[in-house]
């Protein structure tokens, strides 16, 4: 018996031969821990609801890896004084730190650093650039 070579095999073909087409699996979404940047609203340091699951996933992963270390780098847009933006970046990094600690990550695993407006992710003086620069970057090192 020859097997049909076309994808349009008759419906009875699988029943007679035991071969059935298997639908390809849908691609799996990337894990939440692939996202390593948490964005913030203007002049705010509270974690936005859409980023809480991402921070929580990082927390669960880090709690399961006690030898891993994380550095949280806080950033701000260019609006405001240099000193104010350093403080705002620090408050943002500490907001993520507190969330991670609530997830069971040890204080000794976490370091925070604020760059304020000194290291923008996007140059420009418009809302798109400002929004991209209001962030905390999560940098994980696993020895």
């Amino acid at each position: 018996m020859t097997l049909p070579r076309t994808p349009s095999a008759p419906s009875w073909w699988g029943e007679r031969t035991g071969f059935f087409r298997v639908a390809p699996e849908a691609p799996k979404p990337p894990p939440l821990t692939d996202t390593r940047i948490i964005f913030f609203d203007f002049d705010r340091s509270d974690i936005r609801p859409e980023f809480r699951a991402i921070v929580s996933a990082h927390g669960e992963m880090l709690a399961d890896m006690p030898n891993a270390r994380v550095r949280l780098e806080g950033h701000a847009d260019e609006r405001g004084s240099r000193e104010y933006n350093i403080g705002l970046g620090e408050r943002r990094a500490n907001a993520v730190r507190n969330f991670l600690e609530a997830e069971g990550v040890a204080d000794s695993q976490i370091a925070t650093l604020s760059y304020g407006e000194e290291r923008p992710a996007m140059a420009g003086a418009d809302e798109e650039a400002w929004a991209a620069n209001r962030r905390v970057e999560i940098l994980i090192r696993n020895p």
Side-chain angles (χ1 to χ4, degrees):
M1 176 168 120
T2 61
L3 300 176
R5 295 181 189 258
T6 64
S8 57
S11 60
W12 53 263
W13 183 73
E15 293 171 9
R16 289 182 64 201
T17 62
F19 293 104
F20 290 93
R21 285 192 211 148
V22 177
E25 287 187 34
K28 294 180 181 176
L32 292 175
T33 53
D34 281 359
T35 301
R36 303 237 172 151
I37 299 177
I38 308 302
F39 293 100
F40 292 81
D41 291 329
F42 173 69
D43 202 29
R44 301 296 301 263
S45 59
D46 51 321
I47 299 171
R48 293 182 354 201
E50 64 266 31
F51 291 104
R52 289 187 182 137
I54 293 167
V55 178
S56 181
H58 281 283
E60 291 174 14
M61 179 186 70
L62 288 164
D64 290 340
M65 300 169 54
N67 291 329
R69 301 290 178 258
V70 62
R71 186 173 69 208
L72 306 171
E73 296 180 349
H75 299 268
D77 62 35
E78 64 185 18
R79 298 174 288 181
S81 70
R82 182 178 185 279
E83 293 79 16
Y84 182 81
N85 286 335
I86 289 288
L88 182 57
E90 184 176 348
R91 288 191 300 277
R92 289 173 174 164
N94 283 329
V96 176
R97 173 190 208 108
N98 293 338
F99 198 105
L100 290 173
E101 288 176 348
E103 293 291 324
V105 180
D107 180 65
S108 61
Q109 289 180 265
I110 306 170
T112 58
L113 178 64
S114 176
Y115 289 110
E117 62 189 73
E118 301 301 317
R119 292 189 176 183
M122 179 183 286
D126 58 10
E127 187 54 44
E128 181 183 10
W130 294 329
N133 293 329
R134 298 187 302 256
R135 69 195 193 280
V136 167
E137 295 185 22
I138 301 172
L139 305 170
I140 297 173
R141 184 174 51 96
N142 189 11

